[in-house]
Amino acid sequence: MPRFFSLMIHRILLPLLVLASASHAGNWPEWRGPSAQGHATASGLPETWSETSNVAWKTELPGRGHSTPVMWGDQIWLTTALEKAATPEEAKRRLESNTGDQPLTVLGSVSLHALCVDRTSGKVLHDIELLNVKDPQWAHQLNSYASPSPVLADGRLYAHFGSFGTVALDTKTLKVLWKNEELHVMHENGPGSTAVLHGDRLIAHFDGSDQQFIAGFDTLNGKVAWKTPRSGDMDPRPQQRKAYGTPLVVTINSQPQVVSSAANNVYGYDPTTGQELWKIHYGELGFSMSTVPVADDQQIYFSTAFGKSAVIALKYAGLKTPEVTWRNNKNAPKMCSPVLHNGLLFYVDDGGIVSCVDTKTGEAFYRERIGGKFSASPMIADGKLYFCSREGVVTIINAAKEFKILAQNTLDGPIMASPIADGSALFIRTDKALYKIGK
């Protein structure tokens, strides 16, 4: 078949395949689930468990990674990093070029892998090296070299590792279909942005301290289809230009648009061409966010993270360019993405304070402390919110205006990845293991 016709068929069918597969209750194709907003189509999930009760299986994982698992059929995929320490001389040399004051991990090399786990048994089916990076950039001790979550679609795993490279893997033949290692920025704290799929474009942020842009890879061959520099005004200090956010595709005025939050600005792009459609300067000192926006049929909601932290609502319905409708400056999350439910916006800040606010006004119905420190984004299922802490505690609350803790359960080890679920079970990744909670 001529490449032109093959490409056209691929571009027509792929969005339909992604939509059909993502709607299946048993699949979790990307970081924040079938809706890309943290919603699980599940009911009757367990509310109580421990290391010794209500655990169907626990699988020890090699390496270190914070990526959220993704599921397709009987397979669970996740990424991990096998680290080789730098010599003392190498570590000293490279840390001397660090302009920040954060606790860092410096390595001599890192081997980036994709792991496949059987959903029923928990057995590790495949362990595939995707990339091997010599003298990698340092990473923050709260981060890992495998923090961006992979994407599953149409029999492929797309694994993005920021400046270290992006890989497409055939999940049946286990062959690497393509690699792209040509886009580089200085992350400062390691990679954090998860790529998102729209049609035949895999879209990723590259917001470093040295340069900032967003790019779209052609899913057929891995080539850079477009690369668009950030055009908004930013802080003159390089450390305040970096960000680790993830984009969200929203239909605005009947057109799919990439909503992309970055340092000091939030942007809208055409997902096919990368053309900038709009931008809003939301204020100074908004940088290093690790979140993804959420959206309903009227507004988009996102966090500005470090600096002057705030949660901001942008109205887009009926407007050519979105406009700020409200901002809430209290207890804004820097690392954990929000969840929408029945006109309510829920989020937890890094110090364990959960907020429930009205999506129309931004006014809070409550702010309550659940304890712990948080990096993972919450999940909602069957009217219940699941918050996973770095202390290994999962707090379940009701998704309503009235605050109520339903349960708190503890596993061994920090939880940095977000929880995921199928129709009847919960899957949680700690720093050392993957758990199936339930039958």
Side-chain angles (χ1 to χ4, degrees), residues 263-296:
N264 294 359
N265 302 275
V266 57
Y267 301 81
Y269 300 96
D270 184 309
T272 302
T273 65
Q275 178 187 358
E276 183 184 298
L277 303 174
W278 51 267
K279 69 172 175 280
I280 296 172
H281 185 78
Y282 59 72
E284 304 300 331
L285 289 178
F287 64 98
S288 282
M289 70 285 293
S290 303
T291 62
V292 60
V294 293
D296 54 28

Side-chain angles (χ1 to χ4, degrees), residues 1 111 115 174 200-201 223 232 235 262 301-302 353 387 418:
M1 181 183 294
S111 178
L115 304 175
L174 307 181
D200 62 353
R201 295 288 183 264
K223 294 182 178 179
D235 195 286
Y301 311 86
F302 70 99
I353 296 178
F387 296 91
S418 301

Side-chain angles (χ1 to χ4, degrees), residues 127-410:
D127 183 346
I128 303 165
E129 184 182 63
L130 302 178
L131 295 164
N132 194 291
V133 183
K134 306 296 183 184
D135 296 326
Q137 297 177 20
W138 55 75
H140 194 285
Q141 289 181 0
L142 280 178
N143 198 10
S144 79
Y145 286 89
S147 289
S149 300
V151 181
L152 277 171
D154 195 26
R156 291 183 173 191
L157 180 81
Y158 298 97
H160 176 66
F161 299 96
S163 290
F164 304 136
T166 305
V167 182
L169 177 75
D170 189 304
T171 58
K172 293 181 180 179
T173 66
L174 307 181
K175 293 182 178 179
V176 171
L177 302 174
W178 52 258
K179 297 181 183 182
N180 190 307
E181 301 171 80
E182 64 182 273
L183 299 180
H184 302 279
V185 297
M186 171 47 74
H187 292 301
E188 297 289 349
N189 294 318
S193 302
T194 289
V196 300
L197 188 67
H198 180 78
D200 62 353
R201 295 288 183 264
L202 185 71
I203 302 165
H205 290 177
F206 289 84
D207 290 306
S209 59
D210 52 349
Q211 56 179 328
Q212 304 82 34
F213 59 89
I214 181 171
F217 299 94
D218 189 320
T219 57
L220 280 178
N221 52 35
K223 294 182 178 179
V224 177
W226 53 262
K227 175 183 172 184
T228 305
R230 302 293 196 185
S231 64
D233 293 335
M234 279 183 276
D235 195 286
R237 295 167 292 181
Q239 289 281 337
Q240 275 65 52
R241 299 174 189 172
K242 56 186 171 59
Y244 308 94
T246 292
L248 176 73
V249 179
V250 179
T251 299
I252 299 176
N253 297 324
S254 301
Q255 177 188 8
Q257 298 186 19
V258 180
V259 178
S260 172
S261 54
N264 294 359
N265 302 275
V266 57
Y267 301 81
Y269 300 96
D270 184 309
T272 302
T273 65
Q275 178 187 358
E276 183 184 298
L277 303 174
W278 51 267
K279 69 172 175 280
I280 296 172
H281 185 78
Y282 59 72
E284 304 300 331
L285 289 178
F287 64 98
S288 282
M289 70 285 293
S290 303
T291 62
V292 60
V294 293
D296 54 28
D297 61 358
Q298 298 290 316
Q299 298 188 134
I300 300 158
Y301 311 86
F302 70 99
S303 176
T304 67
F306 288 87
K308 296 180 179 179
S309 304
V311 174
I312 296 177
L314 302 176
K315 181 180 179 181
Y316 70 88
L319 301 176
K320 184 176 181 181
T321 301
E323 298 177 355
V324 174
T325 54
W326 56 258
R327 70 173 63 210
N328 192 317
N329 297 318
K330 294 184 178 180
N331 303 111
K334 299 175 177 62
M335 289 183 274
C336 307
S337 303
V339 171
L340 280 167
H341 180 67
N342 291 344
L344 303 173
L345 186 71
F346 298 90
Y347 48 88
V348 61
D349 71 5
D350 300 7
I353 296 178
V354 173
S355 297
C356 170
V357 306
D358 189 318
T359 57
K360 293 182 180 179
T361 65
E363 294 183 3
F365 291 105
Y366 68 74
R367 293 187 180 88
E368 298 284 350
R369 186 178 298 277
I370 60 174
K373 297 180 180 180
F374 289 80
S375 295
S377 294
M379 181 195 76
I380 184 169
D382 197 22
K384 303 167 188 174
L385 289 155
Y386 294 73
F387 296 91
C388 300
S389 78
R390 298 204 294 263
E391 290 77 20
V393 178
V394 181
T395 301
I396 307 173
I397 70 172
N398 59 327
K401 295 178 183 178
E402 299 78 25
F403 176 76
K404 182 180 180 181
I405 294 179
L406 303 176
Q408 288 188 305
N409 308 283
T410 304

